[in-house]
Amino acid sequence: MRPNKLATLAATTGLALMISGCATGSNSAARAAVQERGQVELAELTEGRVAGEPVRCVSPHTNQQFTIIDGTALYLKRGNTIYVNVPSYPDSLDDDDVLLIEYRGTSQLCRNQPIKMLDRGSGFLRGVISLNDFVPYKKMD
C-alpha cells in the first residue's frame, strides 16, 4: 500500500471510530434517560404501598400478563398487591416487546426463569432475561 492510501485508510478508520464513539455516547445517554423515566414510573406505581418480603415465585391468574416498565422492571397486579420483578439486564426491557414465557411443569413464574423478548413488529428474538425474586407491594388501608 502506498503512503497516501495508508494515511487515508488510517484517517477514515479513526473517523469511523470517533463517530462510533459519539453514537455510543448518545445511546448511553438515551438509555440512562429511559431508565430514569422507568424509575419514576416505578416509584409512582408503588406510592402508598408497603414492600413485603421478596418471594421466589408467583402464580398469575390465567389471563394475567406482565406489564413492562421500560429499562426498569416487570410487574404483575393481583388484587391489592403489585408484584415487582427487576430481572437480569433490566435496561434491555422495552414495553414494545412481546414476552414469551414458557411454563415447564408448573403454572408459576419463579426466580431464574428465562423469558424471551420478541420484537413486536418482526417477531424476531431480541434477547432473554432471567427473573429475580418478586417484591410484593401492598396497598395501605
Side-chain angles (χ1 to χ4, degrees), residues 13-111:
T13 303
L15 179 60
L17 289 173
M18 287 189 327
I19 291 171
S20 166
C22 290
T24 302
S26 64
N27 191 18
S28 295
R31 188 176 310 130
V34 166
Q35 289 172 337
E36 186 175 327
R37 282 193 305 271
Q39 292 296 328
V40 168
E41 186 178 341
L42 182 58
E44 290 172 354
L45 177 73
T46 58
E47 187 174 347
R49 295 176 181 270
V50 175
E53 287 294 317
V55 295
R56 181 180 170 83
C57 299
V58 295
S59 298
H61 295 165
T62 307
N63 292 330
Q64 271 185 319
Q65 295 181 3
F66 274 120
T67 300
I68 300 172
I69 299 175
D70 276 349
T72 307
L74 306 167
Y75 70 91
L76 189 66
K77 279 186 170 183
R78 286 190 52 206
N80 285 336
T81 305
I82 296 173
Y83 292 90
V84 176
N85 192 293
V86 180
S88 61
Y89 308 108
D91 58 329
S92 64
L93 292 172
D94 184 339
D95 67 358
D96 198 39
D97 284 342
V98 174
L99 300 178
L100 178 60
I101 301 170
E102 296 175 3
Y103 294 94
R104 295 184 180 141
T106 180
S107 61
Q108 292 187 317
L109 297 169
C110 296
R111 178 180 59 206

